[in-house]
Amino acid sequence: MSKEPVAVTGIGQTKHVAARRDVSIAGLVREAATRALHDAELTWADIDAVVIGKAPDFFEGVMMPELYLADALGAVGKPMLRVHTAGSVGGSTALVAANLIAARVHHTVLTLAFEKQSESNAMWGLSLPIPFQQPLLAGAGGFFAPHVRAYMRRSGAPDTIGALVAYKDRRNALKNPYAHLHEHDITLEKVVASPMLWDPIRYSETCPSSDGACAMVLTDRTGAARAPRPPAWLHGGAMRSEPTLFAGKDFVSPRAGQDCAADVYRQAGITDPRRDIDAVEMYVPFSWYEPMWLENLGFAAPGEGWKLTEAGVTALDGDLPVNMSGGVLSANPIGASGMIRFAEAALQVRGRAGDHQVDGARRALGHAYGGGSQFFAMWLVGSEPPDS
Amino acid sequence: MTGRNTPGPRDIAVVAFAQTGHRRSTEDSSEVEMLMPVLHEVLARTGLKTADIGFTCSGSSDYLAGRAFSFTLALDGVGAWPPISESHVEMDGAWALYEAWTKLLTEDTDTALVYSYGKCSPGSVRDVLTRQLDPYYVAPLWPDSVALAALQAQALMDAGHTDEAALAAVGARSRADAAANPYAQLKGRVPQGDYVVRPLRTGDCPPVGDGAAAVLLAAGDRARDLCERPAWIRGIDHRVEAHSLGVRDLTDSPSTRLAAERAGAFERPVDTAELHAPFSSQEVVLRRALRLDDSVRVNPSGGALAANPVMAAGLVRIGEAAARVHRGDSDRALAHATSGPCLQQNLVAVLEGDPR
């Protein structure tokens, strides 16, 4: 039994903002889901199952919120799965949904990821009690800053690279109506002059804290044939995990990320990612992770990723555009951020990315990571169905 | 199962099961320490090593541990190096098994490790579970899990489906059966006790306990290599209902019935049923929804009334049912898991051994 091909025929997002005080959690997710259904021109009755993901329940203070959200997502009488793989969850959730179709368990599945961070306090949610684990040192930035330093030392990258990424992504976000940050007066000088938070990470090189949701309708070959607009086809998808901390772990380029990318490329028949992939939405919560992940994902040799960034290769009009949507640096509803990467990759190959569309994008990579750089989820989508 | 009209799915079986002795409190050990022996045991039963496993999936809840990302350290216990293909559901491990079953159906791999765990002892699980409720209108009132189950029990009595004596008999039978289960937390003769929330007495309610479970799945010939009598998953399905108790008929469980239909449970009689019914009254609801008569051996392990490690108790039901098939005590068994208040979400699996 070969796998059933999987197509993305509907995509919906909310406008990501600091606080959506006008809607409940249920209202927020329903907004994204309704938009995805509208895009696919389907109704709730066409959906066989719902797969939902978000980052820790402590971020909103609701235990297993999918139970409460069953009604809002039209899931009553249907199967509903809830995925949680830390920051990579949005990607993992989409992959779990895709497997339901690839395995021919269902025809059409709604998948959705969200975070409504204004309901609670994410910093508190991330402050792990000492007896269980070493403290994360003043938030995620405190955890990741030393690894950025290690990258700079190892690669010899000039200390201006991070600001270039932030400036690029924030300008890309101006073309994306759903992005949280729309900084119309941004300049490179302003990024460089912003306060230092966790040396070498400056304020303008960090992601915002957002309320938002992202939804996709995934379907089989029959469903794709009926779709009113061009679908995105899944060519490869994989998850990889490794332990949080152990002697020999490479935080600059974790092996789980390399293995995950290699698996996706093998499935999709990608032999030279730099040449074969037209656009990338990668999970970059702190600007320096663009050059780091360029290397981890095989777009550049070790130590060379920053040169692509510096040369403008990753710009919207570059040879390998990265984070056309503005990325996590411009909108970060944490649990949804991975799915937004996957959805934006799909929008690109569907030719429906609006002002941030890459001309002629045929193959795009969506990437997500989480935990202490230990959980990875990726998918590669194309404008044409896979060969098999 | 829905919509199979192309080449048939491959056969997938539970080939090994292990669980902890479930205890009131495991203050002396961390989640990882509680889980490690179970992981070692389930692997030892098949001779497999972590590196041999094609896919790993776990289930747990941060709210039991009282900390975010509680599952990440459990992964360290698995020994995820070199990196593994792995996923996690914030649900009972029965749903992790469902995700793993899906993965095996795609033929990406032939083996999968599923595990889940729950430590209820660090907090008051009755209070913790109130945080599952509608966060705006219901959770602020802190209606706890026993109070909600009591509403359901009273509705059953008002509808004439049961009475206090019948519920007491469910509790007594469960704990008598648990006497033969070395892993059970409460066993032997247990008095029905005082009312906790009318009409439920202590004997109608599950013990609060800590525990973990692990299951190995394998496909086709691989399953036959790893297990003398694999417990083939003939069907598995799960369904959710509305959350609000006010829009549900608490005396019925349509999601269980639908899941059972989709899993093929009604195609032929089962000889065993392991039901995840944390309250005696919920067994009454499930028996009706699943059309189980007295010819079916229900909860020979003692069920959730004898041990209810939240997030693992559903996976334990699948494991217990599979273990009976492995031992030759059952030829066709039904396993059930539940989640949410008053049986909101339900999973049904049908397991069969090869004909003897």
Side-chain angles (χ1 to χ4, degrees):
Chain A
M1 183 183 85
S2 63
K3 284 197 234 183
E4 176 71 23
V6 180
V8 185
T9 59
I11 294 172
Q13 290 182 60
T14 57
K15 164 77 171 94
H16 309 295
V17 295
R20 276 297 298 273
R21 300 200 194 282
D22 60 320
V23 289
S24 62
I25 299 171
L28 183 79
V29 298
R30 184 145 177 122
E31 197 173 290
T34 306
R35 286 175 183 165
L37 287 173
H38 187 258
D39 184 16
E41 291 186 15
L42 295 177
T43 69
W44 295 102
D46 298 311
I47 299 298
D48 300 321
V50 176
V51 184
I52 182 171
K54 69 175 295 301
D57 292 2
F58 281 87
F59 281 2
E60 285 85 9
V62 187
M63 180 185 186
M64 301 162 76
E66 70 280 3
L67 295 164
Y68 142 71
L69 293 172
D71 305 70
L73 290 174
V76 172
K78 296 174 186 175
M80 187 179 204
L81 276 169
R82 157 71 195 287
V83 181
H84 176 196
T85 64
S88 66
V89 65
S92 306
T93 304
L95 292 174
V96 173
N99 273 344
L100 289 172
I101 293 159
R104 299 193 174 89
V105 175
H106 297 298
H107 296 294
T108 303
V109 176
L110 174 70
T111 187
L112 180 139
F114 76 97
E115 206 74 70
K116 198 163 188 293
Q117 289 186 235
S118 66
E119 298 274 332
S120 184
N121 185 324
M123 187 67 98
W124 173 80
L126 281 168
S127 298
L128 307 182
I130 297 275
F132 297 107
Q133 193 172 305
Q134 57 279 44
L136 275 180
L137 307 169
F143 184 83
F144 290 115
H147 310 316
V148 171
R149 271 280 170 225
Y151 172 73
M152 295 168 77
R153 189 166 56 244
R154 198 190 286 187
S155 68
D159 58 12
T160 51
I161 299 297
L164 290 175
V165 174
Y167 178 54
K168 165 183 73 81
D169 284 4
R170 294 275 163 79
R171 274 184 307 152
N172 286 352
L174 294 173
K175 299 175 185 293
N176 174 9
Y178 296 107
H180 175 173
L181 296 184
H182 283 155
E183 296 180 336
H184 293 279
D185 55 352
I186 186 118
T187 62
L188 187 57
E189 292 68 32
K190 283 185 179 175
V191 174
V192 173
S194 67
M196 187 65 82
L197 291 187
W198 304 275
D199 194 350
I201 300 173
R202 293 181 182 277
Y203 176 77
S204 290
E205 296 176 75
T206 67
C207 49
S209 179
S210 315
D211 284 0
C214 178
M216 289 190 283
V217 174
L218 307 184
T219 191
D220 56 15
R221 196 170 2 210
T222 310
R226 289 196 212 107
R229 285 177 266 281
W233 293 93
L234 180 58
H235 288 235
M239 295 185 234
R240 286 293 185 283
S241 308
E242 66 183 45
T244 321
L245 301 159
F246 64 101
K249 170 149 177 159
D250 186 348
F251 279 100
V252 171
S253 187
R255 180 164 162 195
Q258 296 175 21
D259 289 2
C260 189
D263 191 359
V264 170
Y265 298 156
R266 179 188 56 77
Q267 294 172 38
I270 301 281
T271 52
D272 179 354
R274 172 91 161 81
R275 192 192 67 212
D276 298 341
I277 295 174
D278 302 319
V280 185
E281 281 279 342
M282 67 169 70
Y283 204 105
V284 177
F286 302 101
S287 61
W288 277 93
Y289 273 85
E290 176 177 300
M292 290 164 73
W293 293 147
L294 282 170
E295 296 170 26
N296 188 247
L297 297 173
F299 292 107
E304 305 284 315
W306 63 271
K307 293 176 183 170
L308 298 189
T309 298
E310 188 179 53
V313 170
T314 60
L316 189 54
D317 58 357
D319 181 40
L320 181 72
V322 173
N323 289 334
M324 302 69 71
S325 67
V328 179
L329 280 175
S330 304
N332 189 31
I334 297 178
S337 290
M339 188 172 287
I340 296 169
R341 306 281 73 73
F342 278 41
E344 287 285 350
L347 282 175
Q348 289 289 340
V349 299
R350 296 177 74 203
R352 292 180 56 78
D355 291 344
H356 62 286
Q357 176 71 44
V358 173
D359 280 345
R362 291 176 55 249
R363 278 179 291 203
L365 182 71
H367 161 271
Y369 87 106
S373 296
Q374 66 189 120
F375 301 112
F376 291 85
M378 300 173 206
W379 83 1
L380 193 130
V381 285
S383 54
E384 299 295 323
D387 293 338
S388 60
Chain B
M1 291 177 294
T2 50
R4 297 195 179 284
N5 42 21
T6 32
R10 65 202 312 218
D11 291 327
I12 295 162
V14 175
V15 295
F17 167 57
Q19 63 183 316
T20 54
H22 306 292
R23 294 194 282 148
R24 175 61 186 87
S25 176
T26 51
E27 279 178 12
D28 53 335
S29 61
S30 69
E31 288 168 338
V32 182
E33 289 166 325
M34 186 174 73
L35 181 62
M36 286 284 280
V38 174
L39 294 174
H40 285 300
E41 187 182 336
V42 81
L43 290 169
R45 280 174 191 234
T46 54
L48 292 177
K49 298 183 176 62
T50 307
D52 302 325
I53 303 294
F55 180 65
T56 301
C57 196
S58 62
S60 67
S61 169
D62 282 345
Y63 261 74
L64 292 177
R67 56 184 292 275
F69 300 120
S70 68
F71 66 95
T72 61
L73 292 183
L75 184 68
D76 292 3
V78 175
W81 188 260
I84 59 173
S85 173
E86 188 264 349
S87 184
H88 173 260
V89 295
E90 193 83 354
M91 306 177 83
D92 186 289
W95 278 267
L97 184 143
Y98 181 87
E99 183 183 329
W101 171 79
T102 305
K103 181 79 172 172
L104 289 169
L105 280 182
T106 66
E107 302 190 2
D108 280 348
T109 177
D110 293 333
T111 53
L113 169 66
V114 179
Y115 64 89
S116 66
Y117 57 91
K119 276 179 72 133
C120 299
S121 60
S124 160
V125 73
R126 282 174 71 174
D127 291 337
V128 169
L129 289 174
T130 65
R131 303 300 92 192
Q132 284 187 338
L133 303 171
D134 179 316
Y136 306 102
Y137 295 109
V138 184
L141 304 173
W142 295 87
D144 73 38
S145 49
V146 181
L148 298 179
L151 275 178
Q152 186 171 30
Q154 189 60 54
L156 281 170
M157 289 181 180
D158 292 347
H161 293 319
T162 192
D163 54 33
E164 287 197 36
L167 294 186
V170 170
R173 190 209 72 235
S174 297
R175 279 158 191 171
D177 283 344
N181 176 1
Y183 304 100
Q185 185 179 333
L186 284 184
K187 54 182 84 176
R189 286 178 55 82
V190 180
Q192 192 60 8
D194 298 328
Y195 287 114
V196 184
V197 181
R198 272 181 196 271
L200 296 178
R201 298 170 183 265
T202 48
D204 295 308
C205 302
V208 174
D210 300 351
V215 161
L216 266 173
L217 299 179
D221 290 341
R222 199 73 204 282
R224 292 185 183 88
D225 293 343
L226 296 171
C227 180
E228 199 168 316
R229 191 168 194 249
W232 300 106
I233 299 173
R234 293 303 183 209
I236 181 168
D237 194 273
H238 60 99
R239 302 280 152 168
V240 71
E241 293 177 34
H243 187 61
S244 169
L245 301 182
V247 301
R248 283 197 264 155
D249 175 2
L250 296 182
T251 67
D252 195 11
S253 184
S255 58
T256 299
R257 189 180 302 109
L258 183 56
E261 262 173 33
R262 299 289 182 150
F266 300 135
E267 288 166 15
R268 286 189 295 122
V270 297
D271 54 43
T272 301
E274 278 284 342
L275 306 181
H276 184 194
F279 297 91
S280 59
S281 44
Q282 294 178 341
E283 183 179 304
V284 175
V285 178
L286 294 170
R287 274 178 179 269
R288 290 181 71 238
L290 293 166
R291 301 175 210 160
L292 301 176
D293 59 28
D294 290 342
S295 69
V296 180
R297 188 81 168 87
V298 172
N299 286 346
S301 67
L305 285 168
N308 188 39
V310 176
M311 311 313 288
L315 183 62
V316 169
R317 304 279 76 71
I318 297 175
E320 288 281 4
R324 279 178 71 82
V325 172
H326 295 162
R327 291 194 300 264
D329 294 339
S330 169
D331 292 320
R332 182 172 158 90
L334 180 150
H336 160 268
T338 195
S339 179
C342 298
L343 304 172
Q344 187 196 347
Q345 189 174 23
N346 295 282
L347 177 147
V348 174
V350 177
L351 305 170
E352 280 184 356
D354 285 325
R356 287 177 289 187

